[in-house]
Amino acid sequence: MWLILCLTLLFSAGSANGGEQVELFDSDKQQVVATFANSDEFQKEAQQLLRTVSGRVLELNPSLDHAMIVKIPLAPPQRLQHVPSGIDAEIAEMFVIMPKKGGRRPYLILHTKEYETVVVEFSGAVDQLRSSVRLR
């Protein structure tokens, strides 16, 4: 959980607004390696991923090692309702955690408008997002 907190503090610059950029963070380098305009394309991709949320991450401390992380500020914030997990929140910021190698599927770290953090699994593909941030 400490890693998630550190990641949150590293990236976080307050609540999402239209002026914030999409950032690509390399956890091995411990730095932002690229930034992109927060375009409609990124907003649509974020909405698609939110629609495929399948539940909370059950691991106590999911790994952020050897991952590429895409931060997408949501403008405007998007409602996420997942009844089986008890999630009903306005999401202001999304972090898509994409492990570089291995069997771990990507997952999301979400920040709500109420400054809460929710870690969830999703079933959607990240191919389009990877292409948008020039990862292949």
Side-chain angles (χ1 to χ4, degrees):
M1 224 24 139
W2 286 106
L3 287 174
I4 292 172
L5 179 60
C6 291
L7 176 70
T8 299
L9 294 174
L10 181 66
F11 273 109
S12 193
S15 63
N17 64 47
E20 284 191 67
Q21 293 189 315
V22 172
E23 297 176 345
L24 177 63
F25 181 84
D26 185 326
S27 69
D28 291 331
K29 295 179 181 178
Q30 293 290 305
Q31 66 184 18
V32 173
V33 295
T35 58
F36 306 90
N38 194 357
S39 66
D40 287 341
E41 178 182 347
F42 283 111
Q43 294 298 301
K44 288 177 185 174
E45 186 65 23
Q47 291 170 9
Q48 174 61 30
L49 292 177
L50 283 176
R51 281 193 292 274
T52 67
V53 166
S54 55
R56 293 182 187 265
V57 169
L58 298 179
E59 296 169 56
L60 184 57
N61 191 12
S63 178
L64 294 172
D65 294 333
H66 311 298
M68 299 302 288
I69 303 167
V70 180
K71 172 191 168 191
I72 306 172
L74 300 180
Q78 299 293 310
R79 174 147 307 276
L80 173 61
Q81 292 181 308
H82 189 263
V83 175
S85 300
I87 301 170
D88 185 7
E90 290 284 323
I91 307 302
E93 201 166 54
M94 166 188 290
F95 297 88
V96 184
I97 315 302
M98 298 179 289
K100 292 180 180 179
K101 295 181 183 176
R104 179 70 168 98
R105 285 196 37 82
Y107 64 96
L108 302 174
I109 298 174
L110 306 172
H111 290 172
T112 71
K113 282 179 54 177
E114 293 79 27
Y115 304 105
E116 296 173 351
T117 300
V118 182
V119 184
V120 296
E121 304 276 0
F122 64 97
S123 61
V126 294
D127 298 336
Q128 179 61 44
L129 180 60
R130 290 179 66 82
S131 178
S132 296
V133 295
R134 300 181 189 107
L135 289 177
R136 276 288 153 196

